Every structure is written in structure tokens, then in C-alpha cells.
């Protein structure tokens, strides 16, 4: 990196290519397992409860440990944590592929969740510390987001191809060469970076973070699977209460795991919300489109994966265009337009009519993926740029928690909407002569209905299959229109909260950071500026200057001088202690 200009050199861009490996892999892994479940069920014969844990334990561990692992990376080093995560992920993948019991597969999926929780915040926080120049950082995050979105779209294709030629363990073994390459290249191509003064590690906060996330995600997912009942509601309420206790504790700590002052920034809050809702809609829609292609249109998994290619192309194109567009157009309009484009995609998906409907599905998913990826690219950059570089791991973990919550809520809310419509329609339109127990089973899911249709007389089975497919399609339509409405509302919110956020020259901001502690000096606004300060909104709670917004009129211009430049004033314009512009950030190649 050039110290004078803060612009990344060629090695940093090669390092970005290395960071794309785990991002792409984790995104792929999130979507290939669903295709392998029938083969896993036939091979390991898990109980219904065990099958749920095979599915659920990975996102539970991932969501529960993201914030803790992001904070841990700030303390011990993000590259070190990345290497640890890669080793854990590779080891778990090997054990998972050759699991000979449901219990063993559940344990390896839990270890995969642990590895994933270390990989995701490490990649984003390393990008924050490798690319201090704002334009370069936006391009790097665009590449990161494009890889994540492309992996989500290409996961079904890869899963279908593997399972048509190999056994179910192949979806785990594909991870090994990628993790091996990451472990080989990361020490050479990636810099080590960490918070030089992290303060004491608060074990109780880490426990509360995990204890709040696990039951909350559990409750959300099981409401989606089984409907509203007492147990998941009680469990989710307990998780939310522990989350409240966690936040209260963070407010009382001098050096919290999560600085809740971040949420005072409208830009940060709007970005987190837009990110969550974008993932909400994307993951929720995939719940319907994959079933529609296979059980309504009747295509093979590999062919269903091919239909996702236009969406993958749209996602990568949107990610590439995002940093170019945001230079000329305010983020409020870019994020709002992306959300509205996503809403149009969902309206197109709502046109599916119960036939093959492949053209509408391809057009809808491509439009939705393009719009949502545009939003995710800009919002991810705004989130990670809010914190100073030494706190990048914590904020990266928070960003990924929003992603996990968005996915879980998407499945829960949109899945519940579609399921309610499906059950109601099928109860009204099911053919007469069907036994009540068989009808009740058919009303659970479309898969159950098609299975029941094979076990009854042919005429009755054909009528049941047609009625269940029509009911599912109607549920899909209502769910897609619901997602479109939510995205349109979020677009209005984005226009409102981000309207004063813009790309511009260096600005003067209020420093809302806590008073300097006696044992060590606190970097001033200009110190953070020299580290590649965020250019978003007004004060972010750390006193970092933001080029996305009007000047507040406080202090002196931040400017970018030579590495020897020092600050003579504090952000309020009063004489204060002098600090080096590098802010003490520890970054070593």
C-alpha cells in the first residue's frame, strides 16, 4: 500500500482474489445441501428431529458466533482467525463427507458453522484494512458482494451436477481443495491486522451474544416449519430478552463488544435494514422458486440450476456497476432504485401461472437479483466504512448477523404467507373422496401432496396433484407480492434516511466518541481519516469523517497530508493532544 496516497497496490488486489475463495464457498454451501437431503435421508436414515438438526445447526452456530468471532479477529488478528476458520471448515467438510450416522453429520455441521463464523467477518474486515482509499474499497466490496451473490445463484447448479454423478458426500468434499488453497496463499498474499489496544475480552458479552442468537433463530425457523405454536414463541421470546440484556450490558461497558452508538447514524441504520430486507427477500424467494421448478415445472435439479445462470449474471453485473453509479448518484437514489428494481422482479415472479412459467421465473429472478445485489453492495460498504479499521471485525460480524437474520426471517415470513394460502386453497379445492388423514398430510407441503397422489387411485391422484400445484402457485404469487410491497416500503425509507448522504469532498464532523481514557490517547477525526476514514453520512459515533454528507461546521478540514501530518485541534475546534495520523493501527504485510 502506498503510504502517501492510501491507495492499495497490486498485492492487495491479489489478496482480494484470495479472500473471494471462502466467500464463494460459503455462499455455495448454503444452497447445495438442500438437494442432497433426500440422499442423506436414504443413507443415514435420520429421524425427523435429527433431519431438522442437520439442516438447522449450521445457521444456528453461524449466527450465534459471528459477532464474537468478529471481535476475536480484532484482538488476535483477522488473518490468523481466517486461517483457523479455513482449517476448521476443511476438517469438518472431510468428516461430513464420510459421516456414517446422523449424529456425526450433525456434529460436523456444527463445526462447519464455527468455521463459517470465523471466515465471513474476517474477509470483510480484511478488505476494510487493505483498501483505505474509498473508491478502491467500494470496488473491493463490490467484488466481495458479487461473489457472494453469484455463489447463492450457482449453488443449485453445482449441487445438481455433483449429485447427478456422485454420492451425497461430494457436496462436502468440494470444499477441501478451496480451503487448502486458502491456507496456502493467505499467509503470503494477505496482511495481518488487528486492534493494537483491544482492551479486556468480555466473556459474559460473548456468552450473552450466543445465548440470544441461538434461541431467536431457532424460534424463527421453527415457526416457518411448523407454524405458530407455544414452544418456538417462548424460545424466541427468551432469545430476544437475552438480546436486550446483551445490549444493556454493552451500554454500560467502557469498551463494549458492540458499540450501540453506531445505530445513532441514520446511514448505518438504514444500511443494516436495507441489507437485512434484501437478504430476506432473496432467500425467501428461493424457497419457492426451487420447489416451483422441480415440483410444478418438473425439471431436474441440474436443469433448475441452469435457470439460475441469468440471475447470477445479473447479480455480478449489478455488483460491478454499483461503485461506478454511486460516484455520480447519491446513495439514497441508488439504494432506493435497487430496492424498486427488486420489487419489479418480485412482481414478475408473481405472474407465474401454474404452468411451466419458466420465462417469467427467469426474468423475475434475474431482475430481483440485479436490484438486490446493487443494494447489498452499497449497504455493505456503508456498514463496514462506519467503523474505524481497528473495529472492522466487530462491525463485519454485525453485518453478517443482519444477513443471517434476513435469511431466517425471509423463510419464516414469506414461507408462512405461502403456506397459509396453500393450505387454505387445498382445503377448498381438494378432490372429494380423499381420506381425512391423507388430506391433512397433503396440506402440509407440496412434496407431501405429490407423495400422497402416488398412493391413491390414478384419477384421484391426478386431481390432487393438479389442485396442490395450483394452491402452491397461488401461495407463491401472494408471497412474491408481499415481498414486492416490503421492498417498495423500504425504498421509501431509504430515500428518507439516506437523502443527505452523498459522495463528496472531505468534511468536518462532530466527534461523538467517548472521552479519551487516561491510559492511552484516543485518535482524533483526522487520525481516522488517515486510516481510510468512512465517507458516509454524519458522525458515526467514532468521530470518523464522512464524505457522504454535508459539513457539520465543527473543527478544521480533515485533509490528506503527508504521513508526518499531525492534528493540532480536536473535532470541536479546541486545542487537544497531538496524534499521529496513522491512529496506531497495526497492519503488517
Amino acid at each position: 500500500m502506498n503510504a502517501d496516497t492510501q491507495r492499495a497496490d497490486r498485492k492487495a488486489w491479489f489478496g482480494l482474489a484470495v479472500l473471494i475463495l471462502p466467500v464463494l464457498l460459503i455462499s455455495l454451501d448454503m444452497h447445495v445441501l438442500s438437494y442432497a437431503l433426500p440422499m442423506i435421508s436414504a443413507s443415514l436414515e435420520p429421524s425427523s428431529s435429527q433431519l431438522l438438526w442437520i439442516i438447522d445447526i449450521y445457521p444456528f452456530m453461524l449466527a450465534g458466533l459471528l459477532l464474537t468471532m468478529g471481535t476475536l479477529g480484532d484482538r488476535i488478528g483477522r488473518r490468523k482467525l481466517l486461517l483457523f476458520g479455513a482449517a476448521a471448515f476443511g476438517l469438518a467438510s472431510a468428516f461430513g463427507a464420510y459421516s456414517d450416522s446422523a449424529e456425526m453429520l450433525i456434529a460436523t455441521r456444527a463445526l462447519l458453522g464455527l468455521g463459517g463464523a470465523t471466515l465471513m467477518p474476517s474477509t470483510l474486515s480484511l478488505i476494510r484494512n487493505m483498501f483505505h482509499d474509498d473508491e478502491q474499497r467500494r470496488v473491493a466490496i463490490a467484488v466481495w458482494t458479487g461473489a457472494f451473490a453469484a455463489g447463492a445463484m450457482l449453488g443449485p447448479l453445482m449441487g445438481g451436477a455433483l449429485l447427478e454423478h456422485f454420492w451425497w458426500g461430494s457436496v462436502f468434499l468440494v470444499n477441501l481443495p478451496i480451503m487448502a488453497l486458502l491456507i496456502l496463499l493467505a499467509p503470503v498474499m494477505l496482511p495481518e491486522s488487528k486492534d493494537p489496544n483491544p482492551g479486556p475480552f468480555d466473556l459474559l458479552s460473548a456468552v450473552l451474544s450466543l445465548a440470544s442468537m441461538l434461541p431467536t433463530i431457532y424460534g424463527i425457523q421453527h415457526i416457518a416449519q411448523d407454524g405458530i405454536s407455544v414452544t418456538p414463541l417462548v424460545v424466541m421470546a427468551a432469545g430476544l430478552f437475552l438480546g436486550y440484556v446483551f445490549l444493556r450490558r454493552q451500554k454500560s461497558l467502557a469498551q463494549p463488544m458492540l458499540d450501540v452508538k453506531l445505530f445513532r447514524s441514520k446511514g448505518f441504520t438504514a444500511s443494516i435494514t436495507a441489507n437485512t430486507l434484501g437478504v430476506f427477500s432473496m432467500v425467501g424467494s428461493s424457497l419457492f422458486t426451487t420447489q416451483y421448478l422441480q415440483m410444478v415445472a418438473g425439471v431436474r435439479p441440474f436443469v433448475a440450476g441452469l435457470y439460475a445462470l441469468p440471475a447470477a449474471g445479473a447479480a455480478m453485473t449489478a455488483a460491478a456497476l454499483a461503485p461506478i453509479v454511486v460516484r455520480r448518484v447519491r446513495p439514497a437514489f441508488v439504494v432506493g432504485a435497487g430496492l424498486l428494481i427488486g420489487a419489479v422482479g418480485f412482481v414478475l415472479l408473481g405472474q407465474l401461472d401454474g404452468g411451466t412459467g419458466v420465462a417469467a421465473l427467469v426474468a423475475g429472478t434475474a431482475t430481483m437479483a440485479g436490484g438486490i445485489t446493487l443494494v447489498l453492495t452499497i449497504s455493505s460498504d456503508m456498514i463496514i466504512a462506519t467503523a474505524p479499521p481497528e473495529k472492522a471485525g466487530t462491525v463485519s460480524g454485525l453485518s453478517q448477523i443482519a444477513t443471517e437474520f434476513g435469511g431466517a426471517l425471509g423463510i419464516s415470513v414469506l414461507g408462512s404467507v405461502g403456506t397459509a394460502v396453500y393450505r387454505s386453497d387445498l382445503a377448498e379445492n381438494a378432490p372429494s373422496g380423499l381420506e381425512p388423514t391423507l388430506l391433512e398430510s397433503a396440506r402440509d407441503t407440496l412434496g407431501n401432496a405429490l407423495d400422497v397422489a402416488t398412493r391413491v387411485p390414478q384419477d384421484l391422484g391426478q386431481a390432487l396433484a393438479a389442485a396442490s400445484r395450483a394452491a402452491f402457485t397461488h401461495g407463491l404469487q401472494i408471497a412474491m407480492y408481499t415481498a414486492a410491497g416490503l421492498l417498495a416500503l423500504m425504498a421509501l425509507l431509504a430515500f428518507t434516511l439516506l437523502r443527505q448522504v452523498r459522495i463528496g469532498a472531505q468534511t468536518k464532523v462532530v466527534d461523538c466518541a467517548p472521552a479519551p481514557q487516561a491510559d492511552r490517547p484516543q485518535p482524533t477525526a483526522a487520525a481516522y481519516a488517515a486510516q481510510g476514514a468512512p465517507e458516509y453520512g454524519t458522525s458515526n459515533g467514532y468521530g470518523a469523517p464522512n464524505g457522504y454528507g454535508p459539513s457539520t461546521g465543527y473543527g478544521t478540514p480533515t485533509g490528506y497530508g503527508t504521513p508526518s501530518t499531525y492534528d493540532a485541534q480536536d473535532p470541536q475546534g479546541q486545542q487537544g493532544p497531538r496524534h499521529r495520523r496513522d491512529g496506531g493501527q497495526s497492519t503488517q504485510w
Side-chain angles (χ1 to χ4, degrees):
M1 179 177 295
N2 188 315
D4 292 332
T5 65
Q6 293 291 305
R7 290 186 64 83
D9 56 19
R10 183 178 300 177
K11 185 176 182 180
W13 293 106
F14 282 120
L16 177 63
V18 174
L19 290 176
I20 292 307
L21 295 174
V23 173
L24 186 61
L25 183 62
I26 290 176
S27 183
L28 288 169
D29 269 15
M30 288 179 178
H31 298 84
V32 297
L33 184 68
S34 59
Y35 288 94
L37 287 178
M39 300 172 69
I40 291 174
S41 296
S43 175
L44 302 182
E45 299 181 352
S47 66
S48 58
S49 175
Q50 288 174 328
L51 188 62
L52 284 177
W53 277 110
I54 289 172
I55 298 169
D56 289 345
I57 191 64
Y58 177 81
F60 288 173
M61 295 296 293
L62 189 66
L65 292 172
L66 278 168
L67 187 60
T68 300
M69 290 302 171
T71 305
L72 185 63
D74 289 340
R75 298 177 62 85
I76 69 172
R78 290 120 190 175
R79 186 181 66 185
K80 185 182 295 183
L81 186 68
L82 180 73
L83 291 171
F84 168 78
F89 204 87
L91 184 65
S93 298
F95 280 114
Y98 296 101
S99 294
D100 55 9
S101 67
E103 292 83 1
M104 183 177 178
L105 185 56
I106 291 170
T108 57
R109 287 274 291 166
L111 185 57
L112 282 170
L114 171 64
T118 64
L119 292 174
M120 291 306 291
S122 295
T123 58
L124 199 53
S125 57
L126 280 167
I127 288 174
R128 175 68 179 92
N129 282 275
M130 290 162 60
F131 298 92
H132 294 281
D133 179 80
D134 298 308
E135 288 191 8
Q136 288 187 323
R137 187 192 64 245
R138 291 184 202 108
V139 172
I141 290 180
V143 174
W144 184 90
T145 307
F148 192 83
M153 298 300 170
L154 295 176
L157 177 63
M158 188 185 78
L162 287 172
L163 295 174
E164 284 194 8
H165 298 90
F166 305 101
W167 96 114
W168 60 266
S170 62
V171 300
F172 292 97
L173 288 182
V174 73
N175 301 336
L176 296 180
I178 298 178
M179 289 297 101
L181 191 61
L182 177 62
I183 292 173
L184 180 66
L185 294 178
V188 179
M189 303 306 301
L190 298 177
E192 182 60 284
S193 65
K194 59 183 177 180
D195 186 349
N197 297 289
F201 182 75
D202 185 23
L203 182 60
L204 180 57
S205 290
V207 172
L208 284 173
S209 172
L210 181 63
S212 63
M213 293 297 299
L214 291 182
T216 303
I217 295 291
Y218 174 91
I220 292 171
Q221 290 198 351
H222 280 264
I223 287 174
Q225 293 168 358
D226 307 320
I228 297 176
S229 61
V230 174
T231 300
L233 284 176
V234 170
V235 171
M236 185 168 65
L240 292 174
F241 174 74
L242 290 172
Y244 170 77
V245 175
F246 170 79
L247 292 176
R248 292 283 298 179
R249 179 169 178 78
Q250 302 315 294
K251 290 181 179 180
S252 67
L253 295 175
Q255 294 176 313
M257 176 179 288
L258 173 64
D259 193 340
V260 294
K261 293 191 299 296
L262 287 168
F263 292 95
R264 295 178 184 174
S265 166
K266 290 182 179 180
F268 179 82
T269 303
S271 299
I272 282 282
T273 306
N275 189 295
T276 303
L277 190 56
V279 177
F280 166 98
S281 56
M282 186 177 288
V283 174
S285 67
S286 67
L287 176 70
F288 292 92
T289 55
T290 53
Q291 292 185 77
Y292 184 90
L293 283 171
Q294 294 184 65
M295 290 187 278
V296 178
V299 301
R300 302 184 350 254
F302 179 72
V303 177
L306 290 176
Y307 286 130
L309 288 178
M316 289 187 286
T317 301
L321 290 175
I324 300 173
V325 174
V326 81
R327 287 189 214 137
R328 297 170 173 82
V329 183
R330 289 189 188 184
F333 295 105
V334 179
V335 172
L339 290 166
L340 291 177
I341 292 171
V344 170
F346 280 106
V347 171
L348 291 175
L349 289 173
Q351 305 304 306
L352 295 174
D353 59 4
T356 56
V358 170
L361 187 142
V362 171
T365 53
T367 304
M368 177 271 296
I372 297 302
T373 304
L374 187 65
V375 173
L376 296 181
T377 304
I378 302 302
S379 63
S380 294
D381 182 48
M382 294 174 74
I383 292 167
I384 193 61
T386 300
E390 66 269 20
K391 298 297 181 184
T394 301
V395 177
S396 299
L398 181 62
S399 174
Q400 295 307 307
I401 287 174
T403 297
E404 288 298 313
F405 259 114
L409 286 171
I411 293 174
S412 179
V413 175
L414 297 184
S416 297
V417 169
T419 298
V421 174
Y422 169 79
R423 289 175 175 172
S424 176
D425 281 15
L426 192 57
E428 293 180 5
N429 302 317
S432 58
L434 199 63
E435 295 180 10
T437 55
L438 293 178
L439 176 58
E440 190 62 28
S441 176
R443 290 181 66 230
D444 279 343
T445 65
L446 176 59
N448 281 3
L450 297 180
D451 179 64
V452 169
T454 64
R455 295 187 278 116
V456 297
Q458 184 176 4
D459 292 344
L460 187 60
Q462 290 176 347
L464 175 62
S468 62
R469 288 188 175 109
F472 177 84
T473 302
H474 187 205
L476 178 151
Q477 292 169 345
I478 300 301
M480 296 303 101
Y481 290 138
T482 301
L486 290 173
L487 289 180
L489 290 174
M490 184 61 218
L492 294 176
L493 185 63
F495 283 129
T496 302
L497 294 180
L498 300 176
R499 66 185 183 277
Q500 293 183 347
V501 177
R502 72 186 73 185
I503 292 192
Q506 312 304 324
T507 59
K508 296 156 277 187
V509 298
V510 181
D511 188 349
C512 298
Q517 299 180 24
D519 59 339
R520 61 186 176 95
Q522 298 294 314
T524 64
Y528 283 134
Q531 298 178 34
E535 289 198 0
Y536 293 100
T538 53
S539 174
N540 58 26
Y542 287 95
N546 299 324
Y548 275 102
S551 170
T552 61
Y554 290 89
T556 57
T558 57
Y560 282 90
T562 63
S564 61
T565 302
Y566 287 78
D567 297 316
Q569 291 183 316
D570 66 13
Q572 301 293 332
Q574 304 299 320
Q575 186 70 25
R578 299 167 67 90
H579 303 284
R580 287 192 60 85
R581 288 182 53 117
D582 60 12
Q585 171 66 8
S586 172
T587 302
Q588 302 170 353
W589 286 96

